[in-house]
């Protein structure tokens, strides 16, 4: 079946521009995560949705970052007034809800954001 | 807050050599542990995971990892690497029944013919 998809795959923004990054999770996956991966680093958690509810946004670095999942499926990560330190790969992951041994997060290909 | 340390940032091996990548985490409670791999140009994929039970976990492509609770470690091993194992490897932990993953900084493995 189809995996997690993200668009666009690459985005170049001028400093100060707003950007919107889209994530289509695996159909039926209740949980959706956004991670930020800076060059040479591991992914860092940004925010988590369970269906349409944003249950954890503790990783969002500033109030310029905003995420939504209005219908519990597709999610959008919006960054306002982009700055150079926002340059990174933004990863989306989805999973079934649960604490059992079948728990796994499935990752999308990421959106590489470059702010010039 | 929990953290994950991967001590080897770059590893270069010849084909057929044995591999061990270190991973240590800092968290005193219940943990679930994961190794993810990212092949060049591809997205993150799960290699293996530990939840409970036998501390020696076997994953895909001949990889295995051992959970040693007393050492807070979850090292990844493979007896004989292949050129196709060239990739970046990430250790990750899920703690306390939560949902988010905390990742290490990754280890870039290059296997030479």
């Amino acid at each position: 079946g189809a995996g997690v998809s993200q668009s666009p795959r690459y985005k170049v923004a001028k400093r100060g521009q707003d950007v919107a990054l889209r994530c289509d999770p695996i159909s039926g996956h209740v949980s959706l995560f956004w991670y930020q991966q800076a060059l040479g680093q591991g992914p860092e958690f940004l925010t988590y949705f369970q269906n349409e509810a944003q249950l954890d946004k503790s990783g969002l670095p500033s109030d310029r970052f905003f995420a939504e999942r209005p219908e519990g499926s597709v999610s959008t990560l919006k960054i306002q007034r982009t700055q150079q330190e926002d340059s990174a790969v933004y990863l989306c992951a989805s999973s079934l809800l649960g604490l059992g041994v079948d728990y796994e997060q499935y990752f999308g290909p990421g959106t590489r954001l470059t702010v010039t | 807050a929990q953290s994950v340390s991967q001590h080897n940032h770059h590893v270069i091996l010849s084909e057929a050599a044995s591999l061990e990548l270190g991973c240590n985490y800092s968290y005193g409670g219940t943990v679930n542990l994961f190794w993810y791999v990212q092949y060049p140009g591809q997205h993150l994929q799960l290699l293996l995971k530990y939840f409970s039970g036998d501390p020696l976990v076997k994953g895909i492509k001949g990889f295995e990892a051992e959970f040693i609770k007393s050492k807070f470690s979850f090292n990844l091993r493979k007896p004989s690497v292949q050129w196709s194992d060239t990739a970046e490897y990430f250790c990750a932990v899920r703690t306390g029944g939560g949902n988010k993953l905390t990742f290490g900084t990754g280890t870039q493995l290059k296997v030479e013919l």
Side-chain angles (χ1 to χ4, degrees), chain A:
Chain A
V4 178
S5 60
Q6 293 185 245
S7 61
R9 293 292 312 279
Y10 303 91
K11 177 70 179 176
V12 178
K14 285 188 166 48
R15 191 160 53 104
Q17 281 185 332
D18 298 349
V19 297
L21 312 180
R22 178 189 168 105
C23 172
D24 282 83
I26 293 173
S27 177
H29 277 193
V30 170
S31 299
L32 185 145
F33 305 81
W34 284 98
Y35 292 86
Q36 180 191 58
Q37 186 175 15
L39 191 63
Q41 301 296 316
E44 291 195 4
F45 171 79
L46 293 177
T47 188
Y48 160 62
F49 290 85
Q50 183 176 314
N51 294 308
E52 69 278 4
Q54 189 174 20
L55 298 186
D56 187 347
K57 53 182 181 179
S58 61
L60 295 176
S62 77
D63 59 6
R64 295 185 297 104
F65 286 71
F66 172 76
E68 60 183 6
R69 194 186 185 198
E71 297 177 0
S73 177
V74 171
S75 177
T76 304
L77 176 67
K78 297 179 179 177
I79 309 173
Q80 297 177 322
R81 305 181 303 282
T82 53
Q83 300 178 6
Q84 283 197 313
E85 60 262 33
D86 299 335
S87 295
V89 175
Y90 290 85
L91 297 170
C92 178
S94 70
S95 74
L96 293 167
L97 182 66
L99 301 174
V101 296
D102 58 346
Y103 181 87
E104 178 180 344
Q105 290 189 20
Y106 296 82
F107 283 82
T111 294
R112 183 178 296 277
L113 173 65
T114 303
V115 181
T116 61

Side-chain angles (χ1 to χ4, degrees), chain B residues 40-58:
Chain B
Q42 296 189 27
H43 57 273
L44 280 167
Q45 302 170 42
L46 183 68
L47 259 185
L48 48 77
K49 58 188 174 183
Y50 171 80
F51 277 68
S52 62
D54 188 345
L56 185 62
V57 179
K58 294 192 184 300

